[in-house]
Amino acid sequence: MADVSMDYGVVENLANVFGTSGDVLKAVAKALQIASSILKATAMFGMIGNLALARYLDGIHPKCTQLGDTCTELKGDLMGAISSLRDGDTSGSQRFV
């Protein structure tokens, strides 16, 4: 069996960074959606160039959302790995007492 070790604090900090990144990316996606809506509304008043920018932002929006979801998922995966390894160490050590 492979020898697995983990610095729980470092991995937990990394998980928290992924969680924060996910939250920020979701907020950016929401801001892009709002900006796109505003640009589309102003395009109706004769500012046609805003429509092109709105379409550009619409292309970025789903990528930010997807990346935010991935970061949130990675946080959950890392926290799960921490708890699994920590619980495995605890339950395994109890067998030798």
Side-chain angles (χ1 to χ4, degrees):
M1 190 165 122
D3 182 29
V4 178
S5 63
M6 176 188 299
D7 186 350
Y8 298 121
V10 171
V11 176
E12 188 171 357
N13 286 340
L14 182 62
N16 289 334
V17 167
F18 274 118
T20 302
S21 298
D23 293 341
V24 168
L25 284 166
K26 288 177 185 176
V28 167
K30 184 70 173 170
L32 286 172
Q33 185 178 17
I34 292 169
S36 174
S37 297
I38 291 170
L39 289 170
K40 287 175 186 173
T42 59
M44 293 184 350
F45 297 113
M47 299 179 188
I48 303 301
N50 288 351
L51 190 57
L53 183 56
R55 287 185 179 154
Y56 179 74
L57 295 180
D58 286 342
I60 297 172
H61 173 262
K63 292 175 177 61
C64 281
T65 303
Q66 184 180 13
L67 188 57
D69 291 341
T70 301
C71 285
T72 303
E73 182 181 351
L74 282 172
K75 178 188 178 183
D77 292 346
L78 288 172
M79 295 304 284
I82 290 170
S83 65
S84 294
L85 190 59
R86 190 178 291 159
D87 293 346
D89 285 348
T90 304
S91 65
S93 67
Q94 295 300 321
R95 295 180 185 185
F96 297 104
V97 175

